[in-house]
Amino acid sequence: MFCPFCRHPDSRVVDSRTSDDGTSIRRRRQCPNCGRRFSTTETASLNVVKRNGVTEAFSRDKIVSGVRKACQGRPVTDGDLAVLAQRVEETVRSSGSSQIDANDSGLAILDPLRELDEVAFLRFASVYQ
């Protein structure tokens, strides 16, 4: 890690903390050359490979927007959808891979959605499969 002040190629980690949502690590660093401190945020990237081969970053918002259509008219709140998206991301990240197929992310939605609302699950599954 280069020091942003003097461009020294090394730094020492003084403190590490996980972020509030648990998806990143905030590190407080100190440069051994100039002695100044700076912060870094580290995240593990997760990419989705679409059917046409295009790769894009995983997005909880895309999960929520896709499932929201299936939940239209159902007693499902935005908070429920946010929790569902978090569960899907945790499931996908637990595979240990930095890239997943779009189909696999869709399949990861099915079980949490079935637990949330059976009708929304049937709507989503009928369109998805």
Side-chain angles (χ1 to χ4, degrees):
M1 175 63 58
F2 283 93
C3 173
F5 306 107
C6 70
R7 303 298 300 160
H8 186 71
D10 195 19
S11 65
R12 183 175 64 91
V13 175
V14 177
D15 183 39
S16 293
R17 297 180 184 177
T18 57
S19 66
D20 292 335
D21 60 359
T23 60
S24 61
I25 298 173
R26 183 178 181 272
R27 297 196 194 279
R28 194 78 181 127
R29 297 176 177 270
Q30 183 172 9
C31 175
N33 189 42
C34 68
R36 295 180 74 177
R37 291 185 175 198
F38 57 97
S39 296
T40 59
T41 304
E42 300 174 14
T43 59
S45 65
L46 179 60
N47 294 315
V48 178
V49 180
K50 303 282 213 167
R51 290 181 195 157
N52 63 2
V54 174
T55 302
E56 64 180 46
F58 179 87
S59 170
R60 287 186 187 179
D61 294 334
K62 287 190 106 175
I63 300 291
V64 169
S65 68
V67 173
R68 181 173 279 129
K69 295 172 190 167
C71 294
Q72 210 165 19
R74 302 297 304 157
V76 177
T77 66
D78 288 341
D80 294 335
L81 293 177
V83 169
L84 180 129
Q86 180 178 354
R87 287 184 60 196
V88 169
E89 183 175 4
E90 289 169 357
T91 300
V92 169
R93 284 190 185 274
S94 69
S95 72
S97 177
S98 64
Q99 284 191 343
I100 59 160
D101 291 330
N103 188 49
D104 294 340
S105 66
L107 293 175
I109 293 171
L110 294 176
D111 287 337
L113 185 57
R114 174 177 262 161
E115 293 171 17
L116 181 63
D117 188 88
E118 188 74 27
V119 173
F121 163 76
L122 291 172
R123 288 177 182 170
F124 185 84
S126 68
V127 171
Y128 191 74
Q129 295 177 339

